[in-house]
Amino acid sequence: MTDLSKTPEATPAKGGAFLSVRDLKVHFTTSDGIVKATDGLSFDLERGKTLGIVGESGSGKSVSSSAIMGLHRGTNAMLSGEILLDGVDLLKVSNEDMRKRRGRDVAMIFQDPLSAMHPYYTVGNQIMEAYQVHNDVTKREARKRAIEMLDRVGIPQPDRRVDDYPHQFSGGMRQRAMIAMGLINNPSLLIADEPTTALDVTVQAQILDLLQDLQRDFDAAIIIITHDLGVVAEMADDVLVMYAGRAVEYGPGKEILTNPEMPYTWGLLSSVPDLTASTEAKLIPIRGNPPSLLNPPPGCPFEPRCDHTAKVGGDLCRTTLPDLTPANSGGSHVKRCHIKNADEVYEAEILPEIAPDLVED
Amino acid sequence: MIGFVIRRLISAVLVLFVISVAVVALFTYGPSDPAQAMCPEPKCTAERQDAIRDALNLDAPIQVQYAEYMSGIVNGRQIAFGSEAYDCDAPCFGVSFIYRVNVWDDIKDRIGPTVSVAVGAGATILLIGVPIGMFAARRRGSAADKAVIGATLVIESIPYYLFVLLAFLYLAAGAGIFPQEGYHPLTDSPLKWAWGLLLPWLALGLVNSSKYARFTRGSMIEAFNQDYVRTARSKGLAESRIVNKHALRAAVVPIVTIFGIDFGSLLTGTIFTELIFGIPGLGLRALNAVGQSDLPVIEATTLISALIIVITNLLVDLFYSVLDPRVRLG
């Protein structure tokens, strides 16, 4: 409570969500200028729910999640805004306090489990270490707990495999071991940064099932960072689409995937191959590249790649950054786009291209 | 594991074989004529030198001479210098041209001083270089880091013999802080042994540690950028544990590899250090032998040095499998 009295602004008067990120900015000073990797990101997440953050490489997904973990401390990153976890602003707590929260309240699993584990220590040693740092237990107890967790994530013969080195595990088993390490302290928030990208497709599904299963048991909030819309469709309650360091569309997962109102989201959906779709369906990549975060364009960051700027008229897209405004479909769905009738454009122009069989005659 | 050791031993033996052939060939076909070296022209007539060549069996084919030399190492042999004959007991590396004694008897007492210098200097190198490198790596980009890098570059650009000489002149001969007499056998008095060798250790250690400081710094910084260090941090480990357990453990592997090579060459004798501090080691003996064209001694020191380097390399390879569990020996 002393933390709270010192920083009264850390506790919002409103009954905020379990995790509430408000206007988060992560800027890096480089010799070429300031890189605005994340620029004014806000979202909420409740326990037991999953938020999917989608976007291209360099859109600020991982930088934002590292900010929640406090991994930018001690670097040249400049952070502002609020990250309220259970009412405590993680940007304002001391380094030592943040260290204690890491792995205990907030845990993270990474994209490539081979490089994310130390090659010279056994899997068991690394999992035990995560438990021992936050719990005053003997080595024997920690080992027992590590074996329990390995068993829980589906490693066969965990009492034997606990002494294996990471290179002796398969890719899927390594990611399971990483999940065991992440969940060993029963964290309330788990951030999974592209947890299935480095894995084979059959293993991907198993890992996602495991995460959902564990989420039910541990009642954890999960942020899943991905560029795979299939993962989002399977896992996410809410979806946040990021582009050039900003949220460009945010809302319930089903809404975003069925009634997207932002041309960038349309582009993402158009570029997903679907094995079950008719062969008429086109696979359309998004042309161009994301803008430089050093010199972002003054208007909508997606404008140079957008095929729909003519629908707005004038040069509004090029000069003015659109605000996040409620989407036409209503609810909590918000979008950052100047197109007024985006829902109609989607149904009339985009849907027939990407999923002709869904269009009603 | 056993398969690896056997294969590695076979290759070590092959290396030693090639070197020993070269050493014997050097004796016979080298630029220095043994007869001339043993007994120079004014002292000996050409006929006398021919007799020596004959007695040394220099006209025999190389394989015969090689067989004689090797059999001498195992069984001992008789060596004739013209009319004189010497019993050279096993292991016989020949008889010194200058001192007319079994080379092995001359050299074996010199191994102790050289090993003493090498072990102490090796420990000093690691104890100074690695912590400084870790210190700089943790503060990379800071003024302290730049000062360390600058200092290591300055030390490294001073020739090592000059550094050792200055250390001797100022700290031992001049200020008298350290003793001048150098070497006392460890078995006589461990304290005198350590005290006498302290300055050579520090001088050698400091000069060579600059390389290790920069090398450790580089390895540590590379380790800090690894994903598993990010994992360690996201587990909530304290910074000291991240540095001293996770990053250092990874950085140690390349350091050991380099150190194995350097330690091997320290063990074959540090010529200048032994010369300046008057330590009766292998390096000093080899240096004198070269000056005197004492071919049997040059042969013996070359062979023993080769053996030492082959053994240290073998040990480093074996140790590597302990350090890196991914290296499967088999």
Side-chain angles (χ1 to χ4, degrees), chain A residues 141-193:
Chain A
E141 289 167 314
R143 185 182 160 86
K144 190 165 157 272
R145 173 90 176 130
I147 293 172
E148 265 171 39
M149 283 307 293
L150 284 176
D151 190 34
R152 181 67 195 81
V153 298
I155 303 280
Q157 295 180 282
D159 50 336
R160 206 165 57 77
R161 301 311 297 264
V162 72
D163 293 321
D164 278 359
Y165 287 93
H167 71 272
Q168 293 166 304
F169 273 37
S170 68
M173 275 166 55
R174 278 195 284 267
Q175 195 58 290
R176 286 169 192 270
M178 280 299 290
I179 293 172
M181 191 192 295
L183 292 178
I184 198 162
N185 295 305
N186 203 356
S188 45
L189 174 63
L190 178 70
I191 301 173
D193 190 351

Side-chain angles (χ1 to χ4, degrees), chain A residues 249-286:
Chain A
E249 192 157 15
Y250 174 45
K254 193 157 180 277
E255 263 300 307
I256 303 283
L257 293 174
T258 54
N259 295 309
E261 294 193 20
M262 161 74 200
Y264 178 60
T265 318
W266 300 344
L268 287 180
L269 286 168
S270 308
S271 48
V272 176
D274 183 356
L275 290 175
T276 60
S278 92
T279 48
E280 309 279 292
K282 283 186 186 163
L283 188 63
I284 312 151
I286 307 175

